[in-house]
Amino acid sequence: MILILNGPNLNLLGVREPGIYGSRGMESYLDELRRRYPDIEIEYYQSNHEGALIDKLHEVGFREDCQGIVFNAGAYTHTSLALADAISAIPTPVVEVHISNVHSREEIRHRSMISAVCRGVIAGFGLDSYRLAIEALR
Ligand code: DQA
């Protein structure tokens, strides 16, 4: 099982700033991923709340059947020591993903609180960033 974990405002994918994040919603993209990887159980969870994301990392991060977590922490990427601590606390590898190339955007998005405790980072490939992270974990 691989968990795709999305943070704040990513419930609005397809609607929110389509020039940056595209016009496709997550549900249709998840259908495509599940068709593409029929042998992998792909779970999905999104929350706008930092604590709920931490609870999910704790819940899934010790599960023997979880081979990895694909994590787009949204803006919490740039601010959350608590998320970094949660990732450090769990044995399951976490891949940090971003739809946009955060390094070509405002300077505040260049800093990530979580990169150092993630297995790796994938950014800038649109929704395909999630698939590339699955490739890295499978
Ligand atoms: C994002 C980039 C973040 O800077 C931003 O706050 C997001 C989305 C991305 O996927 O490109 O919410 O993580």
Side-chain angles (χ1 to χ4, degrees):
M1 183 279 274
I2 289 178
L3 172 70
I4 296 179
L5 183 58
N6 266 351
N9 300 305
L10 292 163
N11 53 312
L12 295 181
L13 270 181
V15 177
R16 166 197 189 202
E17 302 184 86
I20 299 174
Y21 300 114
S23 49
R24 187 166 188 187
M26 196 67 194
E27 287 308 321
S28 120
Y29 182 62
L30 278 172
D31 287 346
E32 182 187 318
L33 281 179
R34 288 178 175 132
R35 273 198 305 273
R36 186 166 184 145
Y37 298 106
D39 299 339
I40 304 174
E41 190 196 335
I42 298 175
E43 285 189 18
Y44 179 67
Y45 182 78
Q46 188 276 332
S47 179
N48 293 321
H49 304 275
E50 190 175 19
L53 296 167
I54 292 168
D55 287 344
K56 196 67 180 179
L57 288 164
H58 292 177
E59 178 197 319
V60 171
F62 291 95
R63 266 171 60 176
E64 298 258 308
D65 66 326
C66 183
Q67 61 198 94
I69 299 171
V70 175
F71 189 20
N72 187 346
Y76 287 142
T77 304
H78 316 298
T79 61
S80 180
L81 183 59
L83 282 174
D85 284 350
I87 294 166
S88 296
I90 60 172
T92 302
V94 176
V95 175
E96 174 183 348
V97 305
H98 301 285
I99 298 164
S100 63
N101 179 352
V102 282
H103 298 286
S104 69
R105 300 180 64 192
E106 310 96 295
E107 200 162 334
I108 195 159
R109 296 184 203 273
H110 300 181
R111 183 185 71 159
S112 168
M113 298 293 286
I114 66 171
S115 295
V117 292
C118 286
R119 178 65 61 90
V121 183
I122 297 170
F125 297 97
L127 289 178
D128 207 34
S129 294
Y130 293 93
R131 184 189 63 78
L132 293 166
I134 290 174
E135 284 293 331
L137 287 167
R138 82 198 184 99

